[in-house]
């Protein structure tokens, strides 16, 4: 698989096969991903990787409070800007509606949508989860570095025949995550990532995820 194939075949997978992931593969991916760029070579990323009983215990701890809704949330940062609007908000809402359409869950089916939303906190059936954190004093440049590291991991996973789903939604339950894994008090939790083998037959893994035309994001200067 070349880089272009890895990029174009990568997507946020939301249905995984019940198939374990070999630790040796993950170690190979993560060792190579250490080559990801970072400003000043700070390498500000840290992660806890869980599977089996520790992962199921985390899922249960969130399930125990899920019905409390926002009262149980303990986010350490805003996942989206409060002022998100225009094309950015349209894209966010659009992909959500496309997802629910693929699942045949109508807009007025609030219970069905809530049930699906709960799948976030089972990592969509992924057999492995990575929980990412960084020192609280790190700023936007270092968070950008973490994003480049995560993308590097996601592409290397594709080379291994694996898939992933990066999940900032886990930030809502940082209290439960901190009880499950040893994240230092002076670190901020960033996101989870489900890792496993894609279920190719699941409709949620098949719908087209729209991307903006190049002209919406890029301007050119000085070219003939």
């Amino acid at each position: 698989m070349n880089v272009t194939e890895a990029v174009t075949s990568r997507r946020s997978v939301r249905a995984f096969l019940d198939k374990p992931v070999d630790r040796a593969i993950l170690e190979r991916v993560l060792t190579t991903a250490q080559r990801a760029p970072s400003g000043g070579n700070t390498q500000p990323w840290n992660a806890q990787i869980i599977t089996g009983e520790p992962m199921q215990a985390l899922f249960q701890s969130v399930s125990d409070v899920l019905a409390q809704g926002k009262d149980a949330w303990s986010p350490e940062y805003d996942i989206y800007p409060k002022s998100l609007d225009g094309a950015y908000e349209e894209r966010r809402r659009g992909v959500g509606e496309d997802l629910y359409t693929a699942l045949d869950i109508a807009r007025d089916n609030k219970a069905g949508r809530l049930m699906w939303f709960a799948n976030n906190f089972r990592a969509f059936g992924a057999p492995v989860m990575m929980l990412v954190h960084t020192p609280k004093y790190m700023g936007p440049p270092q968070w950008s570095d973490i994003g480049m590291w995560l993308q590097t991991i996601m592409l290397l996973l594709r080379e291994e025949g694996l898939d992933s789903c990066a999940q900032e939604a886990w930030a809502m339950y940082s209290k439960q995550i901190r009880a499950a894994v040893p994240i230092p008090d002076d670190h901020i939790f960033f996101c989870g990532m489900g890792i496993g083998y894609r279920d190719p037959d699941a409709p949620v893994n098949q719908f087209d995820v729209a991307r903006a035309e190049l002209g919406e994001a890029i301007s050119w200067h000085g070219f003939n």
Side-chain angles (χ1 to χ4, degrees):
M1 181 180 291
N2 61 37
V3 176
T4 298
E5 290 168 339
V7 171
T8 55
S9 66
R10 190 217 63 82
R11 64 179 295 142
S12 294
V13 166
R14 293 182 173 88
F16 291 87
L17 298 175
D18 184 16
K19 179 180 177 181
V21 177
D22 190 333
R23 174 173 169 170
I25 296 176
L26 297 176
E27 289 185 350
R28 182 162 63 240
V29 164
L30 291 167
T31 298
T32 305
Q34 286 297 105
R35 303 301 305 172
S38 61
N41 197 33
T42 53
Q43 304 172 56
W45 45 79
N46 298 266
Q48 312 286 328
I49 301 176
I50 60 175
T51 189
E53 291 184 9
M55 187 174 72
Q56 295 305 318
L58 172 59
F59 292 171
Q60 185 61 52
S61 70
V62 173
S63 178
D64 289 344
V65 299
L66 201 59
Q68 298 176 24
K70 292 183 179 180
D71 290 340
W73 292 0
S74 53
E76 298 185 4
Y77 65 94
D78 291 328
I79 296 176
Y80 298 105
K82 291 181 171 63
S83 58
L84 189 70
D85 63 4
Y88 307 108
E89 175 66 2
E90 290 172 8
R91 294 169 193 158
R92 187 184 74 85
R93 290 182 177 275
V95 74
E97 289 304 317
D98 290 345
L99 180 150
Y100 285 119
T101 297
L103 292 166
D104 197 25
I105 302 176
R107 182 188 292 269
D108 59 359
N109 185 354
K110 302 299 184 183
R113 292 195 171 198
L114 284 172
M115 287 179 64
W116 172 258
F117 179 73
N119 284 333
N120 274 285
F121 306 107
R122 292 187 288 272
F124 302 111
V128 173
M129 273 199 72
M130 183 166 69
L131 302 166
V132 180
H133 54 99
T134 193
K136 290 180 178 178
Y137 61 74
M138 294 295 181
Q142 289 74 48
W143 283 52
S144 173
D145 294 340
I146 295 170
M148 290 189 285
W149 174 70
L150 288 169
Q151 174 76 334
T152 302
I153 290 170
M154 289 187 276
L155 297 182
L156 289 167
L157 288 170
R158 289 301 305 122
E159 184 181 59
E160 297 282 358
L162 287 158
D163 281 286
S164 61
C165 185
Q167 296 179 268
E168 291 171 333
W170 277 99
M172 296 188 293
Y173 293 102
S174 64
K175 180 179 177 181
Q176 286 73 22
I177 289 167
R178 288 181 178 276
V181 295
I183 295 177
D185 291 340
D186 62 349
H187 279 215
I188 186 169
F189 172 75
F190 175 34
C191 73
M193 180 186 284
I195 299 172
Y197 294 94
R198 178 187 317 202
D199 180 350
D201 299 322
V204 75
N205 290 336
Q206 297 176 8
F207 74 93
D208 181 54
V209 180
R211 290 291 190 261
E213 295 292 334
L214 197 61
E216 293 183 44
I218 306 298
S219 298
W220 303 86
H221 307 276
F223 290 85
N224 294 328

